Amino acid sequence: MRVFFDVQHLYYLPQFLPVQAELARRGVETLFLFHEALDDAEALAAVLASQSLPHRVVDSKRSAIRIYQQERPDWIIFGNGCDYLASLPEETRTALIYHGIGVKECYYDAELMEMDIRFVEGEHRYRELKGRYPEAHMLDVGFAKLDPLLGTDYPGMDLARVGLDPGRKTILYAPTFYPSSIELQPADLPQQLSDCNLLIKPHHFTFTKRRYSHQLEKLQGWASNDNVWLAGLGDVSLLPMMGAADLLLSEASSALFEFAALDKPIVWCDFYWRRWSHRGPLRKRLDRRLDPTIHRYRDIARHAATPDEVVPAIRAELADTAGFEGKRRDYTNALIGPTDGKTARRIADALENAAT
């Protein structure tokens, strides 16, 4: 059996890696097909330099189709919808491992149900999708990306190796690029948290887009403090950082729910910087672009409404880590499913069983 992973964007990769590792362990031939985008080329090169992955890189959908038609793999696994399914070899089957938690309404788009199998994150999501698409073939397996963290032998991030004190509490700041809280965060945040480690994982656009260079400059300034470690362009996966962190600081994002599945506390930033074209009477332009769906889960975390509330909120959550435990458990069951660390095994079993 041969299984290819269609990596349209680099942030799909952490969801695929546990499944590829499990298949490789079983002797299955695997290949990552990376779609090279101009704004991802540098990051892709950094990732491939840091990891030994069986891969090929394509510069267009046409090139991807040509490879699939030539190689005719048994399975292609996608992280999102695909508009060229009809061009794939007839004997090649397709599967979907959705690239994120799926709190947006697009999680339920009809094109995502066109694969031969959709792997689903738990019984709750399975029932929701089955109600909308009763004829679709789905399997309830869980959220593959978190398998390494939920297992028993994940080494995690070596804080001492990157110059941090393993005896301190560790905070992970994982901001998005826009709208972001970076610009409004206190300039002396590392100093205010001098008794803690601060891991910073920027969005890759903060590294690669010129318009966000000011964000990188601020974060690099923070990294001059001896209690701060700043991830690099090749550090695509949050997993090592999540494993080492005691608390997550972020805006509204799927990272909140991934971290909650580890039953660790979260501080959710409600403030973010707006461009002039999104301020005052024009602020509704941005509001229309933001997805409100995620806010139904607001009670998963303590919120910081302003920059001045960030450090007090962090202190409060570190002092009482169980305050939101019930909601973390409820939303993990609803959005992620089983947390036994065996999702990749279930996916590999399904692919092998379907091939016999």
Side-chain angles (χ1 to χ4, degrees):
M1 186 170 74
R2 295 195 303 159
V3 180
F4 286 14
F5 295 84
D6 191 272
V7 190
Q8 296 177 35
H9 300 283
L10 271 177
Y11 59 86
Y12 293 8
L13 186 59
Q15 190 77 302
F16 292 157
L17 285 174
V19 180
Q20 186 271 341
E22 176 63 23
L23 289 169
R25 188 184 66 80
R26 301 182 184 198
V28 174
E29 181 183 341
T30 60
L31 181 80
F32 292 99
L33 194 72
F34 290 97
H35 293 246
E36 183 182 49
L38 290 178
D39 57 4
D40 280 337
E42 186 179 355
L44 176 57
V47 169
L48 295 179
S50 64
Q51 301 191 51
S52 178
L53 302 175
H55 72 276
R56 294 179 68 173
V57 180
V58 295
D59 57 5
S60 66
K61 291 180 182 178
R62 181 177 300 176
S63 297
I65 293 170
R66 182 165 57 250
I67 288 175
Y68 290 142
Q69 290 176 339
Q70 291 171 350
E71 298 293 335
R72 312 183 89 79
D74 298 282
W75 287 96
I76 303 173
I77 297 180
F78 294 90
N80 208 338
C82 174
D83 58 8
Y84 51 83
L85 292 179
S87 299
L88 299 177
E90 185 177 351
E91 67 269 30
T92 295
R93 284 176 286 186
T94 57
L96 176 70
I97 301 176
Y98 195 65
H99 61 273
I101 295 295
V103 293
K104 297 180 180 179
E105 188 60 28
C106 59
Y107 175 87
Y108 300 100
D109 285 354
E111 69 166 338
L112 301 181
M113 310 307 297
E114 296 174 355
M115 312 278 176
D116 291 301
I117 299 178
R118 177 169 183 174
F119 294 111
V120 182
E121 309 80 14
E123 182 181 354
H124 175 76
R125 307 311 290 270
Y126 181 89
R127 289 198 305 268
E128 286 185 318
L129 287 166
K130 203 66 176 176
R132 300 189 188 203
Y133 305 100
E135 303 302 319
H137 184 196
M138 295 177 288
L139 290 175
D140 170 11
V141 293
F143 192 71
K145 177 179 178 178
L146 293 178
D147 269 9
L149 286 179
L150 298 171
T152 57
D153 56 355
Y154 186 68
M157 183 175 179
D158 186 341
L159 295 176
R161 187 181 63 81
V162 297
L164 300 179
D165 183 353
R168 292 176 172 178
K169 293 293 186 181
T170 298
I171 298 156
L172 170 58
Y173 179 41
T176 189
F177 63 102
Y178 186 78
S180 178
S181 63
I182 296 174
E183 291 87 347
L184 300 182
Q185 290 289 359
D188 64 345
L189 184 64
Q191 292 92 326
Q192 292 188 52
L193 296 168
S194 60
D195 59 328
C196 299
N197 298 318
L198 181 59
L199 308 177
I200 306 173
K201 172 63 174 73
H203 191 282
H204 76 270
F205 283 172
T206 296
F207 288 106
T208 60
K209 297 283 190 180
R210 182 174 298 178
R211 66 164 36 183
Y212 303 118
S213 60
H214 63 283
Q215 294 181 346
L216 188 57
E217 289 175 7
K218 181 172 184 176
L219 299 179
Q220 288 172 334
W222 282 0
S224 65
N225 293 272
D226 61 10
N227 65 325
V228 177
W229 178 81
L230 176 64
L233 187 59
D235 297 306
V236 174
S237 178
L238 262 177
L239 292 188
M241 291 159 255
M242 290 199 301
D246 298 291
L247 179 145
L248 174 71
L249 175 68
S250 186
E251 308 96 11
S253 71
S254 62
L256 299 174
F257 304 99
E258 295 175 10
F259 200 76
L262 308 179
D263 196 23
K264 296 181 181 181
I266 299 159
V267 172
W268 182 331
C269 296
D270 289 328
F271 58 89
Y272 42 77
W273 178 81
R274 292 172 180 259
R275 300 178 191 134
W276 287 108
S277 58
H278 291 146
R279 299 186 191 182
L282 301 178
R283 65 182 294 121
K284 289 186 178 178
R285 289 182 177 179
L286 179 60
D287 293 338
R288 285 194 292 268
R289 288 175 51 185
L290 297 175
D291 181 67
T293 311
I294 196 171
H295 291 287
R296 71 180 65 166
Y297 307 106
R298 284 180 58 82
D299 53 353
I300 198 173
R302 185 181 296 270
H303 288 252
T306 68
D308 290 340
E309 295 179 15
V310 169
V311 173
I314 288 173
R315 300 289 186 196
E317 283 302 288
L318 289 176
D320 178 17
T321 61
F324 293 85
E325 184 178 291
K327 287 300 181 181
R328 291 197 295 263
R329 181 175 58 251
D330 291 346
Y331 293 145
T332 295
N333 289 337
L335 300 174
I336 288 179
T339 55
D340 57 2
K342 298 178 181 178
T343 295
R345 296 186 202 177
R346 288 187 282 271
I347 292 173
D349 287 345
L351 297 176
E352 288 191 324
N353 291 339
T356 59

